[in-house]
Amino acid sequence: MGLFMNEMKLFMEPESVVVIGTPRLTGPGSFNILENLVNTDFPGRVYPVNPNADEILGMKCYPSVLDIPDDIDLAIISTGRSVVPRIVRECTQRGIKALIIVGQGFADGDEEGKELQSEIVRIAREGGARILGPNTFGIANAFNNFTSAYIELEMKKHPIGIIAQTGFFFVGLPKFTIVGKGIDLGNACDIDFADGLGYFEDDPQIKLILLHMEGTKDGRRFMEVAGRVAKKKPIVALKTGKGDEGARAAQSHSGSLVGRDEVYNAAFRQCGVIRVDDVDEFDDLCKAFLRLPLMKGRGIGVITITGAGGIIALDTCQKYNIHLAKLSPETLSRIGALAPPWQTLENPADIWPAMMIAGHPFDEVFNTTLEALLTDPNIHGLIIIFAAFSPQGPMFPMGDIFQITDKFEKPVVCWLYGTEVDGVASMMEQEGRMVVYPTLDRAVRALSRLNDYYRIIDNEGET
Amino acid sequence: MGLFMNEMKLFMEPESVVVIGTPRLTGPGSFNILENLVNTDFPGRVYPVNPNADEILGMKCYPSVLDIPDDIDLAIISTGRSVVPRIVRECTQRGIKALIIVGQGFADGDEEGKELQSEIVRIAREGGARILGPNTFGIANAFNNFTSAYIELEMKKHPIGIIAQTGFFFVGLPKFTIVGKGIDLGNACDIDFADGLGYFEDDPQIKLILLHMEGTKDGRRFMEVAGRVAKKKPIVALKTGKGDEGARAAQSHSGSLVGRDEVYNAAFRQCGVIRVDDVDEFDDLCKAFLRLPLMKGRGIGVITITGAGGIIALDTCQKYNIHLAKLSPETLSRIGALAPPWQTLENPADIWPAMMIAGHPFDEVFNTTLEALLTDPNIHGLIIIFAAFSPQGPMFPMGDIFQITDKFEKPVVCWLYGTEVDGVASMMEQEGRMVVYPTLDRAVRALSRLNDYYRIIDNEGET
């Protein structure tokens, strides 16, 4: 493990980098890795290599890596595939221990590409070097302004590490975030998921690990390392290439060996990796795990201003094996004090009649219900179903909400509907410890995962 | 049917309305139906009734409906439950044939409420009147500026009619739209789904019908009417209250009789109603059915700039019983002319290597692939997976795209990823006949429904 860690540090936090195959062209459409490194304010030493240029972006250009006089931590190799074996050999001759091979056309291509990939692995092994790739963006690390990607990335110091088989996720998850540290394994000819997990294991800058996996060649090592790391921080995996067709495509995309989907399900479950359904769940769980407390049981409460929404919540809970907790007598009496006499009090707690029929002010009804439900020992998490009619409507006693929710170590999530959802959602998330989900399904799913992880780190947990 | 139509016209397009139980209070938080009607510029006659006021909002106020001298199409009754039977009787005495009962605490409440509901149904039947509600927002009709809702609605003349058991949807679907015409059945003590469907059946202003159903009391009539209407325009249903718990809650929310979920599945299938999974699918299908051609087969094509995205697309297609079409020899030779020699050409068509490795301009690669795939007789719809790095980046030849897609009667949808998704998505949807979906899952699902409906109206269609 110590060895992995040091090797991975060369990839993640290099102090000196050579970019082999730096194009002379710069600007949009040039896919110039050197230019991206410069724009990112990478603080280390950078050496461009291009036999046909003396200078690129004002930096002295070397004809070959063999001509560089200084020590080098990492080589980024971005050339046509045919010359890669020679360059790998030159890098090992120069004592470089970490190689990122960017180009395509290896195991992701034809038979010749597969052979080339085997050859470079052999050369690197002999020379004591490790390879990330080929067919990769390589690394993105917002914490030391380093990236080997050939497109410009917006990097932010989020405590999220991702290990993927594509540069796709470096560009940003659909709505939420840019990863703090990213490792694109590409074809994963050498550096694999276990290596990345080993690096993130004790990394104090990373609190959550995402995996995008098409397949892995060394399942045993993956399970050993993942099982250990999952006890320390959540590991959330998107496994793609599910069906036979998908598996074949994954084989052609990254040359991955993919197994039956059920095998992956069982393996993830055994080592405590949370498998997600889709790309959006990455977003959802980044918010959930970084902003909310874990959920200690599978019984939840729902506060709703629409009876119809409460029923939709029930349907969704069933889907994710979450149940609506039976309200305690104390809770019932606290919320019953405000309800019209004819109302059947239950969970979901429909607060509309207490306001509309019994005529109590919205704040009073909402805050009483919120505090009563969060106090209830049967309730381990809460969903609020709210309307967003206007960004600062009188129905939104936000300050009060957070004063109450902060008193409890229970996750509170919100589903908004109406025409002002986006504005109100970001306002709420900025003001307090709450996550607003775009659908009820995603809200319930996130709560469910917060309990899944609670059970992973606490084997005594309620099941 | 003719009768339904005329009766429903009194609810949907009244020329004269009495609002019984108009509060003297106006402004935010007053839930004043009269004020909403005035703000909406309802062009018909409006009569407020309140025995304790002479004038509300500058309008003459009547002590009772019996005191109004003129003919009245529709009464909106918004009073405490105990006086509702008397008011219903007075309305029938005045010859009013359409009654909206707004208040709660009937079959949605306790035993007394259930009895009250039976009583008002009996009184209305005897008096030849129809009831919408109780426990309802009533009607929203953007086409004649009419609403009986007690909260302010943003109404737009969308060609979408919704029949729901909640006012929830009147406020707007989560992201997309305000319904053009809405009927909130509430407890559905009399007016039911079949009545609403009968009204929308030949309504030239409505091209798509949405149903939010907790249950229906007259399944046979529903199936008869829905089966007929579904051949004329798509009917899309969200059936909630699925499990036992959900069914019990629906019973308490609107007093609906709910049956086993599988029974509804079979019934919807039989009469050609498209059942959706969640609220968001309302949004998705509004866009799909109003903006895209139907899909004539279940084979689709995918164009992607990310191999990983292509694999995710494959996984998703499998889920919705859509398949990736085998590309014809002609298609393969057209896209093969631009690809690097080592690339395995297939569907999803990964266009990145043709640009990045073979060095062809993005426009040329993209447009060639788009036209080739849309020409392929095995492909009936298309998904484009694109990155949105910058709102007007050079990778976005939008004008060309729409020139090509417009030549084919095949639906084209798009999934964008990256940091600029929202801006680029709305730009694309404004510029051409394309729908951008926030997730691949929703994109594939929408295409799948476009073929479902094709098969509903064309029994000879491919299955």
Side-chain angles (χ1 to χ4, degrees), chain A residues 341-394:
Chain A
W342 53 257
Q343 192 183 3
T344 312
L345 298 169
E346 60 200 344
N347 183 15
D350 183 353
I351 58 175
W352 193 253
M355 182 183 63
M356 189 68 196
I357 307 290
H360 297 287
F362 182 78
D363 295 35
E364 185 191 353
V365 176
F366 186 81
N367 296 342
T368 302
T369 311
L370 182 64
E371 181 133 20
L373 263 62
L374 282 173
T375 306
D376 195 312
N378 299 324
I379 288 177
H380 302 282
L382 197 72
I383 297 177
I384 297 171
I385 301 176
F386 241 24
F389 302 110
S390 85
Q392 277 135 327

Side-chain angles (χ1 to χ4, degrees), chain A residues 175 241-242 280 315 422 439, chain B residues 175 241-242 280 315 422 439:
Chain A
K175 294 288 268 187
K242 291 179 187 176
D280 307 286
D315 288 343
D422 287 343
T439 71
Chain B
K175 294 288 269 188
K242 290 179 187 176
D280 306 286
D315 288 344
D422 287 344
T439 70

Side-chain angles (χ1 to χ4, degrees), chain A residues 39-233:
Chain A
N39 289 343
T40 311
D41 294 324
F42 172 62
R45 286 174 284 129
V46 183
Y47 304 87
V49 166
N50 181 331
N52 305 312
D54 294 329
E55 206 183 86
I56 297 175
L57 291 166
M59 298 168 78
K60 176 181 162 53
C61 202
Y62 295 85
S64 152
V65 65
L66 297 171
D67 302 312
I68 301 172
D70 312 312
D71 274 358
I72 294 162
D73 286 342
L74 172 70
I76 303 169
I77 301 168
S78 176
T79 64
R81 66 180 189 173
S82 61
V83 295
V84 173
R86 174 179 59 79
I87 292 170
V88 169
R89 184 166 290 116
E90 291 173 357
C91 287
T92 60
Q93 285 167 9
R94 283 287 287 102
I96 303 174
K97 299 288 180 210
L99 313 175
I100 297 175
I101 299 175
V102 173
Q104 300 188 298
F106 292 89
D108 54 299
D110 54 4
E111 278 309 310
E112 189 186 333
K114 289 190 181 67
E115 279 164 34
L116 277 170
Q117 184 166 311
S118 304
E119 193 184 347
I120 58 175
V121 171
R122 191 173 43 73
I123 299 170
R125 291 246 159 94
E126 286 169 9
R130 301 290 309 266
I131 294 176
L132 178 62
N135 186 16
T136 183
F137 273 27
I139 299 295
N141 184 349
F143 293 85
N144 70 339
N145 293 341
F146 172 64
T147 179
S148 58
Y150 51 78
I151 64 163
E152 207 176 335
L153 304 179
E154 195 190 331
M155 299 198 290
K156 287 197 181 145
K157 289 181 182 170
H158 290 299
I160 301 165
I162 187 164
I163 312 170
Q165 295 195 259
T166 171
F168 180 96
F169 296 104
F170 286 26
V171 178
L173 298 173
K175 294 288 268 187
F176 167 60
T177 191
I178 312 297
V179 289
K181 296 190 183 185
I183 304 171
D184 175 4
L185 301 177
N187 294 1
C189 78
D190 176 23
I191 298 284
D192 208 339
F193 288 95
D195 301 292
L197 286 171
Y199 173 77
F200 288 135
E201 179 172 6
D202 294 310
D203 183 346
Q205 290 165 329
I206 296 303
K207 303 206 180 313
L208 172 67
I209 303 169
L210 309 181
L211 309 181
H212 160 261
M213 184 182 276
E214 293 180 350
T216 182
K217 290 177 189 103
D218 190 353
R220 193 173 304 180
R221 192 162 71 100
F222 170 76
M223 289 193 61
E224 179 201 317
V225 179
R228 193 177 67 225
V229 176
K231 294 276 180 192
K232 301 185 183 175
K233 44 191 93 174

